[in-house]
């Protein structure tokens, strides 16, 4: 065996966004030694991009709010295929997790009586999102980071994990490389928490950065864990569409929470035209009521722009397809109109949505206090991920935990805005806590050095593949993104997805020929080549799961099965690796929901 | 239309500018050009980036000699008739190409005393703060840690006083903690002694390059300097301390 540097921790956390940081803090507080692997520098993970807020039933702004309403909203938003236990724990524990952030130094916007202010967001019945203007994610990650660095956590910045190490069924560490010198490293750990975020880079139009290549999903799958709900990808309704170079960058739902409206090129507020049955009772039926809701009038119902993201995205796609889109292939999102309703509207917009103001001014020459924005759907989030125990976050592999976006269950078929940041906190904490317990109860496992040598050899092939027939890793990535965007996007059909599977298979062949120039030191071409494997694995999992769910529900819209099918409302799709190495999908019945929760849902219909 | 970019290529041992010509499209930013070059001409060209929307502070570099986020620098703002130079930040050691060794910043931050809140105001363990009282702290907390202010600060850039001076980023960090209405910690002594606030002579270069438009000097550093002065150089305080000494002897 080659000589690799080895570091030892009790708990290894892979990923340093909200979930990874929160898990590290909790595990460290439990008295075990924690290592935290970041793909980038500390504090740069995608959590930093979250804008709107953290959903938690604090009831600071509307005293009618409580965990039951939040639970019912989350289940309704997820079309009832969520893991009920996760949705319950999330709704109950989110308020404490938010208050804890304040105790660690977070400075949220305030109510008049000096408490944490909460704002309206899609699918949440009451104003529920604790926020800091439109930079809540930055506040959250910085708070966790600044608190975390004083907790004795060993941080490994700019490291990427290539595979999980196993001793029998148990996960006992990870193997990866550091970016600076390109050297391999063994992380020996008693428990591993995956907190690697999403898969957005599998799509062409995405709000996600280069890091989001489905690492945790693929690492877990390869090690033998199960993935669940992989067909459910959230296409956020409002990404930038112009200029081309910023296509996909997120425009916060907070714009609509503050009163922003969606218009087609006839100037029509098209969202009023199609309000789904299960939301009719909670949705405004005229524009004035919608505005009053955004202004905090408790007797008013939400404007249809604040329906769930899956629905709003589909309506936007419909407008564009039917020729009512904006010049650059989107629709209009207008917040400037509120000047008809309030004095100093421009100042108000700049104060409530400073980074949106900045983003459009600087990147698109648009003053959002004067002009409408052009927006369209962008790949934002995956509801699916590693199947975990709802209480402990442990996968079916002993010692392997997952939390945050790379774990699944709480969101079902569609995630409500704001439920992601709270998910990171609630289940990051739980994952860290139970990983620490596991680490205390178990000694270090054995590491199989032959396996490591194989992974290392494979990782170095792009340096040997130079020459005839070799492939540019960037081109392979781009072709995969085109494939997923065009064939497994917002509107899906069996024929297109079968074609996608064929293309993914071809791309797997090409990925083996990926070649890079230069040496191992900080070489992005090499990193791109290495990320391809995970991207291809998650793309296949998404496609296979989407084929299996022959219905339209939440984020999955099948043109060939345009309606909901009750039979599929009772099951989750499960993806796993079979003994022969091929990918298998099967359906499993949802866990039985206890009576008291059924009642909660009934009460809040 | 095409444009030429002079990009610094090399490592700690040395390097040189190399020219790359690439197609320019409407709305492009410098980072887009760097990515295009990476994709088609120089796959091993090292640069950091993440969000591409000015929110993560990863893609800091010097564009035509000015510290900037590459993702927020539109090509339409630059004179494209001559080559655009793109080079790494100067205040930190070079790792490779546009990537610098910034770990010093993370070590410095760790040395700053963490937030220490007063006991909660309400029985449910929560606090009360008025929006007016946190506006200033929220301004400082907009910082995305791009370290451009550190890069442009002559104390660090020209005089390399990294061991004696924490730089504008961390003065702002200290200011955010010191002005936090709930915080009870005292960080004034180390500001003067180990953190070197006296080295800042208020040239405001940091404020000029801040992509978040934080008024680093006026709202952060100057008030901190005043607190240091009040603490250490207050003549009435000296007399009082002297008297106390006399009386106790």
């Amino acid at each position: 065996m080659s000589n690799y540097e080895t570091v030892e921790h009790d708990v290894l956390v892979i990923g340093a966004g909200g979930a990874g940081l929160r898990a590290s803090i909790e595990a460290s507080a439990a008295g075990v030694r924690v290592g935290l692997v970041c793909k980038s520098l500390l504090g740069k993970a995608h959590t930093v991009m979250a804008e709107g807020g953290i959903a938690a039933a604090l009831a600071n702004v509307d005293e009618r709010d409580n965990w039951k309403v939040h639970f019912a909203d989350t289940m309704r938003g997820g079309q009832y295929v969520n893991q009920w236990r996760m949705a319950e724990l999330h709704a109950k524990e989110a308020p404490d997790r938010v208050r804890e952030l304040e105790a660690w130094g977070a400075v949220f916007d305030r109510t008049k009586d000096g408490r944490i202010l909460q704002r309206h967001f899609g699918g949440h019945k009451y104003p529920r999102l604790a926020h800091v203007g439109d930079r809540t994610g930055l506040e959250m990650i910085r708070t966790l980071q600044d608190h975390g660095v004083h907790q004795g956590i060993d941080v490994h910045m700019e490291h990427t994990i290539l595979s999980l190490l196993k001793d029998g069924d148990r996960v006992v560490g990870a193997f990866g490389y550091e970016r600076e010198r390109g050297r391999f490293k063994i992380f020996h750990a008693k428990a591993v928490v995956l907190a690697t975020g999403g898969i957005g880079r599998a799509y062409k139009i995405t709000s996600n950065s280069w890091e989001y290549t489905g690492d945790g999903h693929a690492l877990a799958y390869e090690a033998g864990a199960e993935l669940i709900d992989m067909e459910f990808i959230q296409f956020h309704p409002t990404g930038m569409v112009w200029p081309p170079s910023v296509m996909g960058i997120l425009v916060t739902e907070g714009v609509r929470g503050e009163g922003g409206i969606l218009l087609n090129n006839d100037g029509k507020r098209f969202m009023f035209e199609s309000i789904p049955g299960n939301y009719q009772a909670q949705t405004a039926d005229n524009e004035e009521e919608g505005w009053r809701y955004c202004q905090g009038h408790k007797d008013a119902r939400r404007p249809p722009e604040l329906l769930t993201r899956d629905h709003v995205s589909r309506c936007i796609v419909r407008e564009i397809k039917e020729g009512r889109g904006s010049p650059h292939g989107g629709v209009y999102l207008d917040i400037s109109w509120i000047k008809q309703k309030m004095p100093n509207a421009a100042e108000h917009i700049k104060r409530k949505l400073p980074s949106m103001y900045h983003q459009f001014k600087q990147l698109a020459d648009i003053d959002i206090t004067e002009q409408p924005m052009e927006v369209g759907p962008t790949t934002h989030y995956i509801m699916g991920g590693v199947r975990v125990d709802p209480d402990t976050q442990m996968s079916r592999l002993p010692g392997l935990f997952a939390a945050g976006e790379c774990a699944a269950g709480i969101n079902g078929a569609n995630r409500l805005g704001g439920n992601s940041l709270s998910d990171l906190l609630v289940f990051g904490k739980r994952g860290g806590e139970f990983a620490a317990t596991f680490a205390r109860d178990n000694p270090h496992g054995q590491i199989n050095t032959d396996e490591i040598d194989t992974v290392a050899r494979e990782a170095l092939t792009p340096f040997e593949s130079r020459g005839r027939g070799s492939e540019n890793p960037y081109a392979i990535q781009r072709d995969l993104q085109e494939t997923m965007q065009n064939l497994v996007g917002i509107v899906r059909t069996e024929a297109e997805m079968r074609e996608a599977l064929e293309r993914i298979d071809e791309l797997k062949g090409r990925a083996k020929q990926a070649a890079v120039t230069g040496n191992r030191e900080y070489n992005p071409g090499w990193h791109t080549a290495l990320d391809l494997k995970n991207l291809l694995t998650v793309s296949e999992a998404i496609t296979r799961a989407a084929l299996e769910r022959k219905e339209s529900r939440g984020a999955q819209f099948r043109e060939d099965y345009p309606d909901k099918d009750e039979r599929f409302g009772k099951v989750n799709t499960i993806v796993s690796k079979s003994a022969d190495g091929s990918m298998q999908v099967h359906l499993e019945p949802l866990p039985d929901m206890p009576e008291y929760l059924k009642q909660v849902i009934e009460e809040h219909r | 239309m095409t444009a030429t970019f002079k990009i610094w290529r090399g490592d700690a041992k040395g390097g040189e500018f190399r020219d790359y010509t690439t197609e320019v499209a409407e709305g492009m930013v410098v980072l887009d050009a760097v990515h295009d070059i990476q994709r088609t001409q120089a796959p091993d060209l090292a640069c950091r980036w993440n969000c591409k929307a000015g929110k993560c502070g990863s893609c800091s570099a010097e564009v035509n000699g000015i510290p900037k986020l590459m993702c927020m620098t539109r090509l339409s703002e630059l004179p494209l008739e001559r080559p655009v130079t793109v080079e790494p930040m100067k205040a930190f050691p070079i790792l490779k190409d546009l990537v610098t060794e910034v770990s010093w910043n993370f070590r410095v931050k760790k040395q700053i005393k963490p937030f220490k809140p007063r006991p909660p105001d309400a029985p449910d363990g929560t606090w009360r703060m008025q929006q007016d009282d946190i506006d200033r702290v929220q301004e400082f907390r907009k910082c995305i840690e791009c370290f451009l202010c550190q890069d442009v600060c002559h104390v660090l850039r020209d005089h390399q006083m990294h061991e004696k001076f924490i730089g504008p980023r961390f003065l702002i960090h200290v200011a955010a903690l010191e002005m936090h209405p709930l915080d009870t910690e005292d960080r004034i002594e180390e500001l003067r002694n180990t953190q070197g606030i006296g080295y800042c002579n208020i040239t405001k270069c940091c404020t000029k390059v801040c992509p978040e438009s934080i008024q680093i000097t006026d709202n952060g550093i100057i008030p901190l300097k005043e607190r240091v002065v009040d603490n250490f150089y207050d003549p009435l305080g000296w007399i009082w301390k002297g008297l106390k000494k006399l009386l106790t002897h």
Side-chain angles (χ1 to χ4, degrees):
Chain A
M1 178 187 115
S2 319
N3 209 6
Y4 305 113
E5 184 187 346
T6 303
V7 287
E8 253 185 36
H9 301 291
D10 293 322
V11 171
L12 178 72
V13 179
I14 304 171
L21 276 163
R22 189 62 191 82
S24 301
I25 290 168
E26 198 63 19
S28 186
V32 301
R33 292 167 312 147
V34 179
L36 174 62
V37 169
C38 327
K39 206 166 171 181
S40 290
L41 296 173
L42 185 61
K44 308 297 183 194
H46 217 58
T47 303
V48 85
M49 287 289 283
E51 291 159 355
I54 314 173
L58 296 161
N60 286 356
V61 173
D62 195 318
E63 67 290 344
R64 292 172 296 180
D65 203 10
N66 58 53
W67 77 264
K68 291 178 179 170
V69 191
H70 193 180
F71 169 78
D73 285 350
T74 301
M75 294 298 292
R76 186 188 302 106
Q79 306 268 3
Y80 305 105
V81 291
N82 327 45
Q83 301 297 305
W84 60 265
R85 176 64 176 160
M86 284 180 83
E88 179 190 16
L89 288 170
H90 168 258
K92 283 180 172 168
E93 294 177 5
D96 279 344
R97 296 290 80 78
V98 172
R99 288 192 277 260
E100 191 170 69
L101 286 183
E102 184 153 277
W104 294 346
V107 186
F108 292 103
D109 288 354
R110 315 308 292 183
T111 61
K112 287 213 167 61
D113 64 348
R115 295 187 294 168
I116 295 172
L117 181 62
Q118 297 179 273
R119 71 154 48 116
H120 282 301
F121 236 57
H124 292 282
K125 189 164 184 192
Y126 301 121
R128 190 175 282 148
L129 270 69
H131 62 277
V132 186
D134 55 4
R135 56 162 192 86
T136 315
L138 172 67
E139 187 69 16
M140 183 163 131
I141 203 165
R142 202 66 82 229
T143 302
L144 292 170
Q145 173 191 344
D146 293 352
H147 182 74
V149 296
H150 294 286
Q151 310 306 311
I153 298 160
D154 289 327
V155 181
H156 305 279
M157 292 200 285
E158 300 196 305
H159 281 64
T160 301
I161 299 300
L162 293 167
S163 80
L164 296 175
L165 305 176
K166 284 175 75 183
D167 180 353
D169 263 350
R170 187 185 154 196
V171 171
V172 296
F175 181 65
Y177 64 93
E178 46 97 9
R179 208 167 291 286
E180 183 179 334
R181 298 269 162 252
R183 288 188 195 127
F184 294 120
K185 208 181 253 186
I186 297 171
F187 297 90
H188 200 178
K190 296 172 184 167
V192 173
V193 182
L194 295 172
T196 55
I199 57 87
R201 291 312 273 186
Y203 287 82
K204 187 175 143 197
I205 301 173
T206 177
S207 63
N208 290 192
S209 88
W210 68 273
E211 296 189 296
Y212 299 91
T213 51
D215 295 3
H217 293 78
L219 291 170
Y221 166 83
E222 290 294 340
E226 291 168 317
L227 304 178
I228 183 171
D229 296 340
M230 290 298 283
E231 67 275 31
F232 297 125
I233 310 257
Q234 179 161 80
F235 299 94
H236 192 290
T238 59
M240 291 177 81
V241 296
W242 190 92
S245 67
V246 297
M247 193 181 280
I249 291 178
L250 196 66
V251 181
T252 177
E253 191 166 316
V255 174
R256 286 169 281 145
E258 297 297 338
I261 55 177
L262 289 166
L263 302 168
N264 63 20
N265 66 5
D266 301 327
K268 183 164 188 180
R269 242 180 117 172
F270 56 86
M271 287 305 299
F272 272 107
E273 284 164 22
S274 43
I275 298 163
N278 58 339
Y279 279 95
Q280 213 120 43
Q282 319 188 339
T283 309
D285 52 21
N286 64 77
E287 299 191 4
E288 188 54 32
E289 184 181 7
W291 169 247
R292 288 180 46 245
Y293 176 91
C294 293
Q295 289 304 98
H297 290 272
K298 289 181 182 167
D299 61 331
R301 293 169 298 174
R302 70 164 70 89
E305 277 86 359
L306 290 178
L307 286 163
T308 53
R309 290 174 174 178
D310 51 343
H311 178 71
V312 180
S313 283
R314 269 195 300 279
C315 292
I316 291 175
V317 169
R318 180 197 63 208
E319 291 302 304
I320 298 167
K321 264 196 177 163
E322 292 175 8
R324 294 186 296 275
S326 63
H328 300 103
V331 294
Y332 294 109
L333 170 63
D334 189 16
I335 182 77
S336 70
W337 80 279
I338 67 171
K339 60 186 171 227
Q340 300 165 18
K341 292 284 183 185
M342 56 163 64
N344 305 323
E347 284 317 304
H348 178 81
I349 293 165
K350 284 186 210 169
R351 192 161 48 82
K352 286 291 181 183
L353 303 162
S355 77
M356 285 304 104
Y357 174 76
H358 196 61
Q359 183 173 312
F360 274 89
K361 190 98 182 134
Q362 233 168 318
L363 296 174
D365 293 320
I366 298 272
D367 179 349
I368 67 168
T369 69
E370 293 290 335
Q371 297 157 273
M373 300 159 246
E374 273 186 80
V375 296
T378 179
T379 312
H380 185 52
Y381 185 90
I382 183 160
M383 274 64 80
V386 182
R387 187 186 201 181
V388 290
D389 175 81
D391 287 78
T392 65
Q393 299 288 289
M394 192 161 88
S395 70
R396 76 170 174 184
L397 303 178
L400 182 66
F401 299 75
E405 188 174 350
C406 76
I410 180 202
N411 297 304
N414 172 63
R415 175 175 71 79
L416 298 184
N419 270 2
S420 179
L421 291 188
S422 42
D423 165 21
L424 306 184
L425 294 170
V426 168
F427 295 108
K429 176 189 183 289
R430 283 186 164 266
E433 179 185 337
F434 287 97
T437 306
F438 188 93
R440 272 200 307 263
D441 293 346
N442 291 280
H444 272 297
Q446 285 294 316
I447 284 176
N448 179 339
T449 49
D450 292 343
E451 265 174 40
I452 292 177
D453 280 337
T454 310
V455 176
R457 239 189 338 268
E458 252 178 51
L460 293 175
T461 50
F463 290 105
E464 287 141 24
S465 307
R466 291 173 213 175
R468 268 158 59 99
S470 67
E471 291 269 357
N472 177 344
Y474 295 98
I476 303 171
Q477 193 193 58
R478 188 164 264 209
D479 291 348
L480 175 65
Q481 290 168 339
E482 294 272 355
T483 300
M484 292 303 285
Q485 187 76 34
N486 297 336
L487 304 178
V488 200
I490 302 179
V491 179
R492 299 166 176 177
T493 65
E494 165 133 10
E496 286 184 342
M497 289 194 284
R498 296 265 168 230
E499 192 188 331
L501 284 180
E502 279 170 32
R503 290 207 203 163
I504 289 169
D505 214 40
E506 278 165 38
L507 289 164
K508 278 184 188 167
R510 286 174 59 194
K512 290 203 177 82
Q513 309 300 317
V516 296
T517 56
N519 56 32
R520 284 165 66 173
E521 294 175 12
Y522 219 110
N523 187 335
W526 184 38
H527 307 149
T528 303
L530 292 176
D531 286 343
L532 286 173
K533 188 181 165 201
N534 296 341
L535 274 177
L536 286 159
T537 302
V538 293
S539 297
E540 184 182 345
I542 292 162
T543 312
R544 289 194 186 280
L547 275 165
E548 197 66 28
R549 184 173 284 280
K550 296 182 173 58
E551 65 154 355
S552 294
R553 177 179 301 271
Q556 151 117 327
F557 183 73
R558 292 277 305 256
E559 209 165 49
D560 42 0
Y561 300 95
D563 299 313
K564 248 189 267 191
D565 180 336
E566 268 321 297
R567 286 171 302 173
F568 285 100
K570 298 188 178 78
V571 292
N572 294 117
T573 59
I574 315 284
V575 173
S576 60
K577 192 172 180 171
S578 63
D580 67 2
S582 65
M583 190 179 280
Q584 283 194 330
V585 192
H586 70 278
L587 298 171
E588 254 183 53
L590 293 166
D592 279 331
M593 193 188 296
E595 276 313 313
Y596 70 94
L597 290 178
K598 284 184 187 160
Q599 215 177 323
V600 167
I601 288 175
E602 240 3 89
E603 282 162 16
H604 297 89
R605 277 276 171 211
Chain B
M1 186 189 150
T2 62
T4 300
F5 293 81
K6 269 182 144 27
I7 302 181
W8 196 88
R9 302 295 311 268
D11 56 26
K13 296 187 283 286
E16 58 182 9
F17 281 100
R18 269 185 236 161
D19 284 2
Y20 300 93
T21 300
T22 189
E23 202 65 36
V24 171
E26 194 177 8
M28 262 172 77
V29 293
V30 172
L31 185 61
D32 292 320
V34 169
H35 280 162
D36 283 351
I37 290 162
Q38 215 176 36
R39 211 181 61 241
T40 55
Q41 305 175 47
D44 61 340
L45 164 60
C47 79
R48 287 196 178 102
W49 71 283
N50 282 289
C51 76
K52 216 175 163 295
K55 293 190 174 70
C56 76
S58 299
C59 62
S60 305
E62 299 190 2
V63 178
N64 284 346
I66 299 168
K68 291 240 183 215
L69 294 178
M70 290 192 283
C71 74
M72 296 303 275
T73 308
R74 295 273 294 268
L75 295 184
S76 56
E77 297 161 16
L78 303 168
L80 296 182
E81 59 280 7
R82 53 175 196 264
V84 176
T85 62
V86 186
E87 55 195 312
M89 290 191 283
K90 298 271 171 47
F92 309 110
I94 291 199
L95 275 183
K96 190 182 157 195
D97 304 337
L98 302 176
V99 176
T100 53
E101 221 299 70
V102 291
S103 63
W104 169 79
N105 292 285
F106 293 87
R107 288 196 300 277
V108 168
K109 194 180 211 183
K110 217 168 163 174
Q111 288 158 13
I112 294 167
K113 286 182 192 156
F115 176 64
K116 192 168 126 191
R118 70 181 184 225
D121 302 333
D124 64 353
T126 61
W127 288 270
R128 301 289 177 270
M129 291 185 270
Q130 288 305 309
Q131 185 63 43
D132 285 350
D133 297 330
I134 58 167
D135 282 342
R136 184 51 42 83
V137 177
Q138 286 188 328
E139 178 195 349
F140 299 154
R141 292 181 68 87
K142 285 195 302 186
C143 171
I144 56 173
E145 300 199 330
C146 62
F147 307 131
L148 290 174
C149 59
Q150 307 286 71
D151 182 44
V152 81
C153 174
H154 60 101
V155 184
L156 300 172
R157 186 187 180 95
D158 301 329
H159 303 289
Q160 296 287 314
M161 294 182 70
H162 295 69
E163 294 312 309
K164 291 183 175 160
F165 180 57
I166 61 175
R169 159 59 194 133
F170 297 108
L171 291 175
I172 280 298
H173 181 56
V174 173
L177 289 163
E178 285 289 305
M179 297 181 199
H180 193 307
L182 306 184
D183 184 70
T184 57
E185 189 58 87
D186 183 356
R187 301 171 188 80
I188 300 301
E189 193 174 322
E190 53 265 42
L191 258 186
R192 172 174 174 257
N193 298 331
T194 53
Q195 296 168 355
I197 191 171
Y199 289 108
C200 166
N201 55 4
I202 325 184
T203 52
K204 299 196 185 186
C205 309
C206 50
T207 305
K208 275 184 214 125
V209 299
C210 178
E212 286 293 316
S213 307
I214 300 169
Q215 295 302 305
I216 300 175
T217 322
D218 290 353
N219 291 349
I221 297 178
I222 292 174
L224 282 184
K225 279 178 173 272
E226 283 165 356
R227 289 188 187 200
V228 170
V229 169
D230 287 349
N231 220 21
F232 290 99
Y233 305 106
D234 174 12
L236 282 174
W238 286 346
I239 295 167
W240 174 238
K241 275 179 208 155
L243 273 175
K244 255 196 354 194
K245 227 179 196 172
L246 274 176
L247 288 170
T248 46
H249 276 288

